[in-house]
Amino acid sequence: MRLLEKLEAQAPLVLDGGLATTLEQAGCNLNSSLWSSEVLKNNPVKIKEAHQSFTDAGADILLTSTYQASYQTFSDIGLKDVEIEQLFTTAVDQIMDSSTSKQVIVGSLGPYGAYLSDGSEYTGNYELSNEDYFNFHRSRIDALITRGVHDFVFETVPNFEEIKAIVEYIVPHYMDQTFWLSVTVNDLGDLSDGTKFEDLCEFIQKYKKEIPVFGINCSSVAGVNQAMEKGLTILPQTIALYPNGGAKYNADTKQWESMGDSHLIVEQIPDWLRHDVKIVGGCCQTTPEDIKRIHDKINLSV
């Protein structure tokens, strides 16, 4: 089922949780530039098991294991094009095998900052041309379309210039696909690169056709709530929220530091639904158990 059809038929929807967190729970070592794509390359059955755990938890939407899987990422470690193509086939096969016809499969597209593997998805500290952004994202989008994925989310995007490139330069090349955009914010509710969230809202509200679903991921619940006060929930787009557990990411050690609290997400659900949020899930530090709690809370709240 396609994303917009599912939203029309049934809302709110439950999104899956932290793939990397779930893989780590299963004993996988993700301390590399490939992150969860390390498992996709070396132990893909664990990817399937992680997707299945979110299906069993009641997720309506599953994201592919391609957040870090850009062609540039894989070519940098010496993989040939034919090997990269096989990894995309594996990623799609594993999610198809662990989903049902009632679920929506959405292609996960990490920002350029994720490729840098230095925590830039939480700072936005990088700059490319529109053409460079397009070339970076295009090969992965094309690979997923070829394998039957037609709904996509650009997620964890921290950089206003990359957002503008996505909306104005990349999405118009793909008129038959659906694109959702999810950004990261700081604890004040502003975009991670420092752009005022009000300015982002002023921009994105003009592009409902290009970006019918918009939201925030891998940010603290406090930051999400601040962004809601700054205009998020009055946008014309369908709103999707999937925060992280609240801890801070150390880009040097590639570890989450301090203690998060994923229960804060569950506690916020009634208020988010009152503000017409239509998709709720979790990002880093959230598990299938958290998604089950989100699923049950939504069912109690609607």
Side-chain angles (χ1 to χ4, degrees), residues 15 98 100 247 283 294 299:
L15 175 64
S98 50
T100 72
C283 203
I294 290 170
N299 282 347

Side-chain angles (χ1 to χ4, degrees), residues 154 157 180-185 197 200 211 213-217 232 235 237-242:
F154 288 98
V157 185
W180 149 14
L181 176 63
S182 186
V183 304
T184 57
V185 298
F197 199 79
L200 174 58
I211 304 293
V213 181
F214 178 78
I216 297 171
N217 76 293
L232 175 64
L235 290 172
Q237 281 88 357
T238 295
I239 301 303
L241 300 177
Y242 52 118

Side-chain angles (χ1 to χ4, degrees), residues 5 19 25 27 38 47 83 88 109 145 156 173 196-197 224 226 265 270 273:
E5 292 172 342
L19 178 63
Q25 273 192 334
E38 184 77 29
I47 298 286
E83 296 172 302
F88 279 100
L109 308 171
I145 291 172
T156 328
H173 283 83
K196 295 296 183 184
F197 199 79
V224 168
Q226 288 292 318
I265 301 173
L273 296 184

Side-chain angles (χ1 to χ4, degrees), residues 28-43:
C28 300
N29 183 1
L30 274 61
N31 194 354
S32 83
S33 62
L34 295 181
W35 210 12
S36 57
S37 290
E38 184 77 29
V39 185
L40 176 63
K41 183 168 77 75
N42 295 320
N43 197 1

